[in-house]
Amino acid sequence: MKSMRVAIVGASGYSGEELLRLLLRHPHVEIACVTSRQYAGKPLTEVHRQFEGWPKAKGVIFSGSEISEITASGAEVVFLALPHGLAAEFAAPLIKAGLVVIDLSADFRVADVSVVEEFSGQQHPAPELLKDAVYGMPELHRDQIRSAKLVASPGCYPTSIILPLVPLLRAGIISPERIVVNSMSGVSGAGRKADVSLLYAECNEDARAYSLPKHRHLMEIEQELSFAHGAQVNIAFHPHLIPVNRGILTTIHAELKAGYSQVEATFEDAYGKEPFVRLLGDGLFPELKQVVRSNFLDIAWRHDKRTNSVVLLSAEDNLVKGAAGQAIHSLNLIANWPEKSGLI
Amino acid sequence: MKSMRVAIVGASGYSGEELLRLLLRHPHVEIACVTSRQYAGKPLTEVHRQFEGWPKAKGVIFSGSEISEITASGAEVVFLALPHGLAAEFAAPLIKAGLVVIDLSADFRVADVSVVEEFSGQQHPAPELLKDAVYGMPELHRDQIRSAKLVASPGCYPTSIILPLVPLLRAGIISPERIVVNSMSGVSGAGRKADVSLLYAECNEDARAYSLPKHRHLMEIEQELSFAHGAQVNIAFHPHLIPVNRGILTTIHAELKAGYSQVEATFEDAYGKEPFVRLLGDGLFPELKQVVRSNFLDIAWRHDKRTNSVVLLSAEDNLVKGAAGQAIHSLNLIANWPEKSGLI
Amino acid sequence: MKSMRVAIVGASGYSGEELLRLLLRHPHVEIACVTSRQYAGKPLTEVHRQFEGWPKAKGVIFSGSEISEITASGAEVVFLALPHGLAAEFAAPLIKAGLVVIDLSADFRVADVSVVEEFSGQQHPAPELLKDAVYGMPELHRDQIRSAKLVASPGCYPTSIILPLVPLLRAGIISPERIVVNSMSGVSGAGRKADVSLLYAECNEDARAYSLPKHRHLMEIEQELSFAHGAQVNIAFHPHLIPVNRGILTTIHAELKAGYSQVEATFEDAYGKEPFVRLLGDGLFPELKQVVRSNFLDIAWRHDKRTNSVVLLSAEDNLVKGAAGQAIHSLNLIANWPEKSGLI
Amino acid sequence: MKSMRVAIVGASGYSGEELLRLLLRHPHVEIACVTSRQYAGKPLTEVHRQFEGWPKAKGVIFSGSEISEITASGAEVVFLALPHGLAAEFAAPLIKAGLVVIDLSADFRVADVSVVEEFSGQQHPAPELLKDAVYGMPELHRDQIRSAKLVASPGCYPTSIILPLVPLLRAGIISPERIVVNSMSGVSGAGRKADVSLLYAECNEDARAYSLPKHRHLMEIEQELSFAHGAQVNIAFHPHLIPVNRGILTTIHAELKAGYSQVEATFEDAYGKEPFVRLLGDGLFPELKQVVRSNFLDIAWRHDKRTNSVVLLSAEDNLVKGAAGQAIHSLNLIANWPEKSGLI
């Protein structure tokens, strides 16, 4: 199988590090360049010591983040693991230079620029690219991803929420109204930043809700749910921080419009052949420990007869299925490799 | 202030240990006896080494759990920290012997014996006592507790759910329908039992939902909500286990029937003078670390305009406000001591 | 018993917060002032929300850190919970103004200014005060503390190391040579500072040694060991960071010069009547969970016949016995209150 | 490269599970059978749900643990992940049947049966096999492993202790006397057993020493050190339990006989070309997070001039380099595959 050269821009944060962990073991990928303003000139294994001794990490040096350095590296695909807002500045020149961009930020996930600007309170830096961006969720947009020039790889919470809801909304089994979503995320989701509220002694033995009731991830969640339903869907979303390094656990309450008995078949139809969605049925519970460091999303469901509702439960690794792994899944589609390449 | 002799039956589990931690420092309490079938004859400080050096722990020896041993100890009040089902067997003879019983199990919390038997699938061992039992939530039943002979001290989840909901239900501010409750609990909530699923290496870096959709705590939650609303209330309840030793964090979604602007005043009316409820308003978030090892329940709220709902957030220590501390609050009422005695 | 007004300077870090937790419940203490440059003018309960609802916290406002503000508060004793180096600047004027100073920093713990300057690489800001400073370890210097004007309260590691070693060194039971000390500390020991290496996702599921082989705490450890031995003692000291919020666990290897059978009696003689040292003997192991949030230091020992050595094991809470609790123990001595006042 | 069929006996514990995690991704291995008395007849992915969706796990069913079932599976190599004592009963018939046995228990690690029986207090079940067993530490016994019929794969603590010490002992740089070793282990090291002392709420926020001063791992540690030194070596060994799932961190104090300047070159000579030993030198510190889920052992060193000693520091994953990974390294040698196969 033909191998491909790829670049990672912004490889010092948790998502960038996870991209490296996966790409350094990917059988068909060659690392063309890794960039970091902070670490330019340093060996990769000095910054991320855990990769010392990995064959593909040998000799890799961080370069600066100039567009010319990236294009000169021979990369065909570039992953952007940058803060929201910054990614948009990189995408335009890189696409113009003929590279395929897989962006892990939120910059291109929402097609409606007015929604983006409402939530962010800022002007979008590259609105002209929005129309070409493909929301990089292979289970929903596989064919578009194959030919995309700009993949907007989904956020961690959205992945854990959209995938359980979309098949039931599409099939009209649940009501699009009054959906209540509770999620809890590991602390790596907040990024590697020097912030007192993220210190070990502040997060350990603690748990808290935050960014309620209008978390910026609502934009892309509701976009995809509305698309599935065929009309605008608004949900309630309650994110929480819990003391684990990795993982998102989501519990969703949705009212039944059709019989509960159709839930299982609907999920089987939607995801029975998906390589990275595991259907646990209505007997088991998803757990973080079953999914961390993997690209799987586990989904289970229960019938709450007392409220005529279905409870949907999902678990994923926020840095893999919720970030780096899903992005590489898109790469596998673009490169026409087997979808599990480098992801098991 | 007159001191009082108390007994603790079943002092080897987490709730019993927490009762000891608080009662050994309570300024008006003398320990009359502590019982444990497993540890009868052993010094208290051999079983719970952390109490070595505490003045009131000196010389305390575990006795067996015979009724006669308890009554002979001179105890006026007895705390039952026993598994569900077993407490009922102790309560009847102790009450008959003239002791006041404060029961931390679920045995007497629900007045309707048919509901209890539906949820437990078993016959209630002492249904004749149910009519005399007072649900030991001081904020709701203060006066009845003062003169109770049998206090059914509330469960940990119920405390974190009932207290935020009752004032708004009573005032008709929220709809009694479609209330969705998500809670997460520390692992001590599962008790000190040798169970592989509770091992450190199984719970650490993990999180999971469980006992969905019909957790046995629903009984008492819905009893108190129905009482507040004046008609039957059914809710959706999603409990989760998270890797902390202590604490329950609850997030509730409820639809507004009246204006959000009334929420704050309603809470102020209900709890403004309560010694152990802290109202954080709609700017702060409750956190476990603010409440663990205390008897406080912290409550905050938010307006979710997009779904015309209120989000209620609460945090407590499952072993204190959710168990031992709340039970001692009842003792303080019964003994007519200041309510904060031994609880700050 | 006569109560006393005290001030806490620098009450925003972990040690200052722990001082507050203990002093707000101390039966004989009134809070005269708490200072913080960062929080001047804010209510105490806004900065440390967990104290909301505590009777003595009501109405306490952070003041600035001017000497005049402290002296005007009517405080008789002032606790300094400041970074190393800064404390010395406060001590001189406060002592001059007639206050007793209990300093939790390292500034006055070592009497020999040349040692201090060797380890710190900096000039000591107030060397003239060193001769009056008393090392605030009640088990070793009880009488001097009672009349001290400046108490240099010991460090967290030193407390866990000095107390097990001193009686055996004094009695000549162990060799002063080749003592090897391994300690592991909870993350609060590193302070509340925005440092990427202290983030939750960096410390959780991690453990590491640091500051080897010449940790700055060696100064005060060796000073006290040398004092006990009657000649210079140098030890090997290996500190580690482990993922717990609180606690220090220390394991010491020392060669026997006399019979192991004398170890127990020597410890009994030294600490049998001490209120905060618990002797576990050679059957039990100290554990962090037995000591956290208490002022106890637990000590155990074992005979390693294969190397003709004794293994000494100790556990304490780094913020209580290793900082705030020990400092309050000194206050109790100075004020002539029962030693356990406010510390059980 | 020729692939090989392997069996795993006892695949329900943590080491067995880790063997599966690694072997299911090993490019040259086919799983011939996995056995478990408890789970016989169940699909592998029902017991270890995290492997659902892994291509090689598809269709694998647990078989019983009869010798005939194992030999009939066509396995050429069998891994024994059984409790100590039980492994010996399996090894003899399997070797007789022509299989190569890689045993992860302690049963064959120590050649001197009298030492084994002294430490275990029990008669060895298969002493006649001891002479043929090879201690499976590739860095020390690579050539013997290649042709071994019975590999006694090393224990977790021993690996972290032997590898740092052997080169310096061989070269006479450190004294064989007065070596003091402190180790801390994650909780998975205690196995997946229903034991109250291993519960989450008992281990979290705790740390403790245990099995002092004569841990059963001393046997194999001292065997290998004595072999390196050429005469009997006795060490002091202090194991501790800390609240992480995985990992062992070891800190060793050893007295210098030769110049510290030779330490680095000696390590480079010994391990400079080793695929799984990483030499950090005397500037960095090993950390658990750099090695967990990898087969690397990281080693660093420091000069403690004050005691004329060297401090050796190491970190590894107890389940990988300390168990399953090292065992697979032996398999790679036996099968003549590249040593890193399946281990990066």
Side-chain angles (χ1 to χ4, degrees):
Chain A
M1 212 160 293
K2 197 175 142 290
S3 71
M4 189 181 277
R5 293 176 68 77
V6 309
I8 301 120
V9 176
S12 59
Y14 290 125
S15 292
E17 186 177 346
E18 192 67 14
L19 274 170
L20 281 165
R21 186 177 75 87
L22 293 165
L23 291 172
L24 287 168
R25 295 202 279 209
H26 195 295
H28 313 310
V29 164
E30 287 170 36
I31 306 295
C33 78
V34 297
T35 85
S36 160
R37 281 178 187 162
Q38 186 181 359
Y39 297 121
K42 290 202 177 182
L44 172 60
T45 56
E46 187 181 320
V47 175
H48 297 301
R49 278 164 44 194
Q50 73 272 33
F51 300 135
E52 180 68 45
W54 290 37
K56 285 192 192 175
K58 199 172 176 180
V60 178
I61 309 288
F62 273 101
S63 63
S65 297
E66 297 304 308
I67 299 295
S68 57
E69 294 180 85
I70 301 163
T71 54
S73 73
E76 295 174 67
V77 174
V78 57
F79 291 91
L80 303 181
L82 293 166
H84 304 301
L86 193 56
E89 298 175 20
F90 279 80
L94 288 166
I95 291 170
K96 202 170 168 185
L99 280 76
V100 174
V101 171
I102 301 177
D103 176 24
L104 279 75
S105 86
D107 287 2
F108 300 105
R109 292 179 193 154
V110 176
D112 184 339
V113 71
S114 69
V115 172
V116 181
E117 295 182 349
E118 177 207 336
F119 270 79
S120 71
Q122 295 183 312
Q123 231 187 323
H124 195 288
E128 72 285 359
L129 290 177
L130 287 173
K131 66 178 188 316
D132 297 325
V134 173
Y135 193 64
M137 195 170 270
E139 294 82 0
L140 304 187
H141 304 289
R142 182 172 267 107
D143 289 338
Q144 296 151 273
I145 294 168
R146 286 189 208 278
S147 56
K149 291 299 169 202
L150 172 56
V151 175
S153 209
C156 49
Y157 283 124
T159 302
S160 80
I161 296 164
I162 293 166
L163 285 174
L165 280 169
V166 158
L168 302 186
L169 276 175
R170 272 192 192 150
I173 291 169
I174 56 172
S175 167
E177 295 180 46
R178 293 184 293 274
I179 293 171
V180 178
V181 177
N182 272 265
S183 294
M184 42 192 95
S185 170
V187 185
S188 64
R192 183 181 264 147
K193 54 177 184 259
D195 178 332
V196 165
S197 76
L198 300 177
L199 291 181
Y200 181 85
E202 300 296 321
C203 294
N204 184 42
E205 295 296 279
D206 194 29
R208 41 183 130 128
Y210 69 100
S211 290
L212 260 171
K214 201 174 169 184
H215 190 281
R216 63 186 163 73
H217 277 169
L218 268 172
M219 289 186 287
E220 61 185 281
I221 297 169
E222 294 183 348
Q223 167 180 280
E224 295 298 308
L225 300 186
S226 300
F227 187 76
H229 171 56
Q232 178 64 26
V233 175
N234 285 335
I235 66 163
F237 172 44
H238 308 151
H240 301 79
L241 196 68
I242 61 169
V244 296
N245 279 357
R246 290 160 168 257
I248 285 181
L249 193 75
T250 286
T251 302
I252 302 169
H253 184 87
E255 294 177 22
L256 284 165
K257 284 195 334 196
Y260 176 74
S261 60
Q262 297 175 49
V263 170
E264 180 164 353
T266 305
F267 275 122
E268 282 295 339
D269 279 356
Y271 301 135
K273 292 179 181 165
E274 278 298 334
F276 295 115
V277 177
R278 300 191 296 202
L279 300 174
L280 305 188
D282 78 352
L284 299 172
F285 284 103
E287 296 193 31
L288 293 190
K289 71 182 173 206
Q290 309 287 4
V291 295
V292 288
R293 291 172 199 270
S294 89
N295 197 45
F296 291 107
L297 179 88
D298 285 1
I299 301 177
W301 50 90
R302 291 293 187 286
H303 190 188
D304 185 356
K305 295 175 193 168
R306 306 167 80 258
T307 63
N308 190 34
S309 301
V310 63
V311 186
L312 302 172
L313 305 119
S314 75
E316 65 167 16
D317 186 316
N318 59 309
L319 296 178
V320 187
K321 182 64 174 171
Q326 187 158 229
I328 292 170
H329 192 177
S330 284
L331 172 69
N332 290 344
L333 290 168
I334 289 165
N336 206 22
W337 297 322
E339 296 193 27
K340 290 191 176 181
S341 301
L343 290 173
I344 294 288
Chain B
M1 213 159 292
K2 198 175 143 285
S3 73
M4 189 182 276
R5 292 177 68 76
V6 309
I8 301 121
V9 177
S12 59
Y14 291 125
S15 291
E17 186 177 347
E18 191 67 13
L19 274 170
L20 282 164
R21 184 176 76 88
L22 293 166
L23 291 171
L24 287 168
R25 295 202 279 208
H26 194 294
H28 313 311
V29 164
E30 289 169 33
I31 306 295
C33 80
V34 296
T35 85
S36 160
R37 281 179 187 160
Q38 185 181 0
Y39 297 120
K42 291 201 177 181
L44 172 60
T45 56
E46 188 181 318
V47 175
H48 297 300
R49 278 163 44 194
Q50 73 271 34
F51 301 135
E52 181 67 45
W54 290 37
K56 284 192 189 175
K58 199 172 177 181
V60 177
I61 309 288
F62 273 101
S63 63
S65 297
E66 295 305 307
I67 299 294
S68 59
E69 293 181 86
I70 300 162
T71 55
S73 73
E76 295 174 68
V77 174
V78 57
F79 291 90
L80 302 181
L82 293 166
H84 304 301
L86 193 57
E89 297 174 22
F90 278 81
L94 288 167
I95 291 170
K96 203 170 169 186
L99 280 77
V100 173
V101 171
I102 301 176
D103 177 23
L104 279 74
S105 85
D107 287 1
F108 300 106
R109 292 180 194 155
V110 175
D112 184 339
V113 72
S114 69
V115 172
V116 181
E117 296 181 348
E118 177 207 336
F119 270 80
S120 71
Q122 295 182 312
Q123 231 187 323
H124 194 286
E128 72 285 359
L129 290 177
L130 287 173
K131 68 179 187 316
D132 298 326
V134 173
Y135 193 65
M137 195 170 271
E139 293 82 359
L140 304 187
H141 305 288
R142 183 171 267 109
D143 289 339
Q144 296 150 275
I145 294 167
R146 286 188 208 278
S147 56
K149 291 300 168 201
L150 172 55
V151 175
S153 209
C156 49
Y157 283 124
T159 302
S160 79
I161 296 164
I162 293 167
L163 286 174
L165 280 169
V166 157
L168 302 187
L169 276 174
R170 272 191 192 151
I173 292 169
I174 55 172
S175 167
E177 295 180 47
R178 294 185 291 275
I179 293 171
V180 179
V181 177
N182 272 264
S183 295
M184 43 192 96
S185 170
V187 185
S188 64
R192 183 180 264 146
K193 52 176 186 262
D195 178 332
V196 165
S197 75
L198 301 177
L199 292 181
Y200 181 85
E202 300 296 321
C203 295
N204 185 42
E205 295 295 283
D206 194 29
R208 42 182 128 129
Y210 68 101
S211 291
L212 262 173
K214 202 174 168 185
H215 190 281
R216 64 186 160 72
H217 276 169
L218 269 173
M219 289 187 287
E220 63 186 280
I221 297 169
E222 294 183 348
Q223 167 180 280
E224 295 299 308
L225 300 187
S226 301
F227 188 76
H229 171 56
Q232 179 64 27
V233 175
N234 285 336
I235 65 163
F237 172 43
H238 308 152
H240 302 79
L241 197 68
I242 61 168
V244 296
N245 279 357
R246 291 159 168 257
I248 286 182
L249 192 76
T250 287
T251 302
I252 302 170
H253 185 86
E255 295 177 21
L256 284 165
K257 284 195 333 197
Y260 175 74
S261 60
Q262 297 175 50
V263 171
E264 179 163 354
T266 305
F267 275 122
E268 282 295 337
D269 279 357
Y271 300 135
K273 292 178 181 165
E274 280 297 335
F276 295 114
V277 177
R278 298 190 297 202
L279 300 173
L280 306 188
D282 78 351
L284 300 171
F285 285 104
E287 297 193 30
L288 292 190
K289 71 182 172 205
Q290 309 287 4
V291 296
V292 289
R293 292 173 199 269
S294 90
N295 196 46
F296 291 107
L297 179 87
D298 284 1
I299 301 177
W301 50 89
R302 290 294 186 285
H303 190 189
D304 186 355
K305 294 174 192 169
R306 304 167 81 257
T307 63
N308 191 33
S309 300
V310 62
V311 185
L312 302 172
L313 306 120
S314 75
E316 64 167 17
D317 186 316
N318 60 310
L319 296 177
V320 188
K321 182 63 175 170
Q326 187 158 228
I328 291 169
H329 192 178
S330 284
L331 172 68
N332 289 346
L333 290 168
I334 289 164
N336 206 24
W337 296 324
E339 295 192 28
K340 289 192 176 180
S341 301
L343 290 172
I344 294 289
Chain C
M1 213 159 294
K2 196 176 144 287
S3 73
M4 189 182 276
R5 292 176 68 78
V6 309
I8 301 121
V9 176
S12 59
Y14 291 125
S15 291
E17 186 177 346
E18 192 67 14
L19 274 170
L20 281 165
R21 186 177 74 88
L22 294 166
L23 291 171
L24 287 168
R25 295 202 279 208
H26 195 294
H28 312 311
V29 165
E30 287 169 36
I31 306 295
C33 79
V34 296
T35 85
S36 161
R37 280 179 187 160
Q38 185 181 1
Y39 297 121
K42 290 201 177 182
L44 171 60
T45 56
E46 188 181 320
V47 175
H48 298 301
R49 277 164 43 193
Q50 73 271 36
F51 300 135
E52 181 67 45
W54 290 37
K56 284 192 192 175
K58 198 171 176 181
V60 177
I61 309 288
F62 273 100
S63 63
S65 298
E66 297 304 308
I67 298 294
S68 58
E69 293 180 86
I70 301 164
T71 55
S73 73
E76 294 174 68
V77 174
V78 57
F79 291 91
L80 303 181
L82 293 166
H84 304 301
L86 193 56
E89 297 174 22
F90 279 81
L94 289 166
I95 291 171
K96 201 169 168 187
L99 281 75
V100 174
V101 171
I102 301 177
D103 177 23
L104 278 75
S105 85
D107 288 1
F108 300 105
R109 293 179 193 155
V110 175
D112 184 339
V113 71
S114 69
V115 171
V116 181
E117 296 181 348
E118 177 207 336
F119 270 79
S120 70
Q122 297 183 310
Q123 229 187 324
H124 195 288
E128 72 285 358
L129 290 177
L130 287 174
K131 67 178 188 315
D132 298 325
V134 173
Y135 193 65
M137 196 170 270
E139 294 82 0
L140 303 187
H141 304 289
R142 183 171 267 107
D143 290 338
Q144 295 150 273
I145 294 168
R146 286 190 208 277
S147 55
K149 291 299 170 202
L150 172 55
V151 174
S153 210
C156 49
Y157 283 123
T159 301
S160 79
I161 296 163
I162 293 167
L163 285 173
L165 279 169
V166 157
L168 302 187
L169 276 174
R170 271 190 192 151
I173 292 169
I174 56 172
S175 168
E177 295 180 45
R178 293 184 292 273
I179 294 171
V180 178
V181 177
N182 272 264
S183 294
M184 42 192 95
S185 170
V187 185
S188 64
R192 183 180 264 145
K193 54 176 183 260
D195 178 332
V196 166
S197 76
L198 300 177
L199 291 181
Y200 181 85
E202 300 297 319
C203 294
N204 184 42
E205 294 296 281
D206 193 29
R208 42 183 130 129
Y210 69 101
S211 291
L212 261 171
K214 202 174 168 185
H215 190 281
R216 65 187 160 73
H217 277 169
L218 268 173
M219 289 187 286
E220 61 185 281
I221 297 169
E222 294 183 348
Q223 167 179 281
E224 295 298 308
L225 300 186
S226 301
F227 188 76
H229 171 56
Q232 179 64 26
V233 175
N234 286 334
I235 66 163
F237 173 43
H238 308 151
H240 301 80
L241 197 68
I242 61 168
V244 297
N245 278 357
R246 289 159 168 259
I248 286 181
L249 193 75
T250 287
T251 302
I252 302 170
H253 185 85
E255 295 177 21
L256 284 165
K257 283 194 336 195
Y260 175 75
S261 60
Q262 297 174 50
V263 171
E264 179 164 356
T266 305
F267 274 123
E268 282 296 339
D269 278 357
Y271 300 135
K273 292 179 181 163
E274 279 298 334
F276 295 114
V277 177
R278 299 191 297 201
L279 300 173
L280 305 188
D282 77 352
L284 299 171
F285 285 103
E287 297 193 31
L288 292 190
K289 72 182 172 206
Q290 309 287 2
V291 296
V292 287
R293 291 173 199 269
S294 89
N295 197 45
F296 291 108
L297 179 88
D298 284 2
I299 301 177
W301 49 90
R302 292 294 187 285
H303 189 190
D304 185 356
K305 295 174 191 168
R306 305 167 79 258
T307 63
N308 191 35
S309 301
V310 63
V311 185
L312 302 172
L313 306 118
S314 75
E316 65 167 17
D317 186 316
N318 59 309
L319 295 178
V320 188
K321 182 64 174 171
Q326 187 158 228
I328 291 170
H329 192 178
S330 283
L331 172 68
N332 290 346
L333 290 168
I334 289 165
N336 206 23
W337 297 323
E339 295 192 28
K340 290 192 176 180
S341 301
L343 290 172
I344 293 289
Chain D
M1 214 160 294
K2 197 175 144 286
S3 73
M4 188 181 277
R5 291 176 68 76
V6 308
I8 300 122
V9 177
S12 59
Y14 290 125
S15 291
E17 186 177 346
E18 192 67 14
L19 273 170
L20 281 164
R21 185 177 75 88
L22 293 166
L23 291 171
L24 287 168
R25 295 203 278 208
H26 195 295
H28 312 310
V29 163
E30 288 170 35
I31 306 295
C33 79
V34 296
T35 86
S36 160
R37 282 181 185 159
Q38 186 181 359
Y39 297 121
K42 290 201 177 180
L44 172 60
T45 56
E46 187 182 320
V47 175
H48 296 302
R49 277 164 43 195
Q50 73 271 34
F51 300 135
E52 181 68 44
W54 290 37
K56 285 193 190 174
K58 198 171 178 180
V60 177
I61 309 289
F62 273 101
S63 63
S65 297
E66 297 305 308
I67 299 294
S68 58
E69 294 181 85
I70 301 162
T71 55
S73 73
E76 295 174 68
V77 174
V78 57
F79 291 91
L80 303 180
L82 293 165
H84 304 302
L86 193 58
E89 297 175 21
F90 278 80
L94 288 167
I95 290 170
K96 204 171 167 185
L99 281 76
V100 173
V101 171
I102 300 177
D103 177 23
L104 278 74
S105 86
D107 288 2
F108 300 105
R109 292 179 194 156
V110 175
D112 184 339
V113 72
S114 69
V115 172
V116 182
E117 295 182 348
E118 177 208 335
F119 270 79
S120 71
Q122 296 183 312
Q123 230 186 325
H124 194 287
E128 72 284 0
L129 289 177
L130 287 174
K131 68 178 188 316
D132 298 324
V134 173
Y135 193 65
M137 195 169 272
E139 293 82 1
L140 304 187
H141 304 289
R142 182 172 268 107
D143 288 339
Q144 296 150 276
I145 293 168
R146 287 189 207 277
S147 57
K149 291 298 168 205
L150 173 54
V151 174
S153 208
C156 49
Y157 283 124
T159 302
S160 79
I161 296 164
I162 293 167
L163 285 173
L165 279 169
V166 157
L168 302 187
L169 276 174
R170 272 191 193 152
I173 291 170
I174 56 171
S175 167
E177 295 180 47
R178 294 184 292 274
I179 293 170
V180 179
V181 177
N182 272 264
S183 295
M184 43 193 94
S185 170
V187 185
S188 63
R192 183 181 264 147
K193 53 176 185 258
D195 179 330
V196 166
S197 76
L198 300 177
L199 291 181
Y200 181 85
E202 300 296 321
C203 294
N204 184 42
E205 294 295 282
D206 194 28
R208 42 182 129 130
Y210 69 100
S211 291
L212 261 172
K214 203 176 168 185
H215 190 282
R216 64 186 161 73
H217 276 169
L218 268 172
M219 290 187 287
E220 63 187 279
I221 297 168
E222 294 183 348
Q223 167 180 281
E224 295 298 308
L225 300 187
S226 300
F227 188 76
H229 171 57
Q232 178 65 27
V233 175
N234 285 335
I235 65 163
F237 173 44
H238 308 152
H240 302 79
L241 197 68
I242 61 168
V244 296
N245 279 356
R246 291 159 167 256
I248 287 183
L249 193 75
T250 286
T251 303
I252 303 170
H253 185 86
E255 295 177 21
L256 284 165
K257 283 195 334 196
Y260 175 73
S261 60
Q262 297 175 49
V263 170
E264 179 164 354
T266 305
F267 274 122
E268 282 295 338
D269 279 356
Y271 301 135
K273 292 179 181 165
E274 279 297 336
F276 295 114
V277 177
R278 299 190 296 201
L279 300 174
L280 306 188
D282 78 351
L284 300 172
F285 284 103
E287 297 193 31
L288 292 190
K289 70 182 172 206
Q290 309 287 3
V291 295
V292 288
R293 293 174 198 268
S294 89
N295 197 45
F296 291 106
L297 179 86
D298 284 0
I299 302 178
W301 50 90
R302 290 294 186 287
H303 190 189
D304 186 356
K305 295 174 193 169
R306 305 167 80 257
T307 64
N308 191 33
S309 301
V310 63
V311 186
L312 302 171
L313 306 119
S314 75
E316 64 168 17
D317 185 315
N318 60 309
L319 296 177
V320 187
K321 182 63 176 169
Q326 187 159 227
I328 291 169
H329 192 177
S330 283
L331 172 68
N332 289 346
L333 289 168
I334 289 165
N336 206 24
W337 296 323
E339 296 193 27
K340 290 192 176 180
S341 301
L343 291 172
I344 293 289

